[in-house]
Amino acid sequence: PIDQLYIFEGFSQSEVAYFLLMTQMQTKKKWEIVIREGDPSNGCAYYVSSGHVKITKGENEIAVLGPGAFFGEIALITDERRTATVEAIDDVELQVFLKEDFFILLKRSEHSKDLKETIMKRIQENVKH
């Protein structure tokens, strides 16, 4: 379930529930690009609610992700350019996490400084795989 994502470890259930209320739903049609490799960050991460997306780096297909998958999370912490292209391979419904809302969640936590460093490490580890 979405509230069990690794980025939420260390937050209370009520903090996570509040954050999830701030998220937005977005739909993408088949073959529509969600994010493009090299583009500036838009400060959004995405959770796949339904449908499937394909992740490519250059000409290489890295993965196909379906419901329950999470991508783009580097954008929640940094302003780095997008490291891959994500394209809908069928109609997709995405829950969009905004960087500003994520920082509010971090600030609400009593361990925000430690948590930010821990989350950054987790994101970097998850993105490497």
Side-chain angles (χ1 to χ4, degrees):
I2 192 168
D3 61 349
Q4 301 296 307
L5 285 174
Y6 73 91
I7 63 164
F8 296 138
E9 287 175 24
F11 293 108
S12 71
Q13 282 188 313
S14 63
E15 288 169 330
V16 173
Y18 175 79
F19 173 75
L20 292 175
L21 284 173
M22 309 298 275
T23 63
Q24 304 165 8
M25 292 305 288
Q26 188 178 89
T27 55
K28 294 288 183 182
K29 296 288 184 203
K30 185 175 184 174
W31 309 128
E32 204 174 337
I33 300 292
V34 180
I35 55 178
R36 190 177 305 277
E37 184 176 4
D39 278 0
S41 174
N42 60 355
C44 297
Y46 302 86
Y47 177 84
V48 182
S49 295
S50 67
H52 296 83
V53 296
K54 176 175 69 173
I55 299 180
T56 55
K57 279 184 157 235
E59 298 299 312
N60 302 320
E61 183 176 312
I62 305 297
V64 172
L65 305 176
F70 184 54
F71 64 91
E73 59 268 41
I74 289 175
L76 294 177
I77 303 288
T78 75
D79 291 321
E80 289 179 29
R81 290 188 170 275
R82 293 298 188 168
T83 58
T85 295
V86 180
E87 177 181 19
I89 54 176
D90 48 25
D91 289 353
V92 178
E93 193 169 85
L94 303 166
Q95 197 155 356
V96 183
F97 296 9
L98 301 176
K99 182 179 187 172
E100 296 80 25
D101 294 338
F102 193 68
F103 274 114
I104 290 169
L105 177 65
L106 279 174
K107 284 180 190 160
R108 286 174 59 113
S109 170
E110 57 199 57
H111 313 293
S112 67
K113 189 175 188 309
D114 295 338
L115 213 45
K116 184 176 176 183
E117 290 171 17
T118 302
I119 290 167
M120 188 62 194
K121 285 180 188 150
R122 270 191 233 134
I123 288 173
Q124 288 169 337
E125 284 303 308
N126 273 282
V127 170
K128 285 179 191 169
H129 301 294

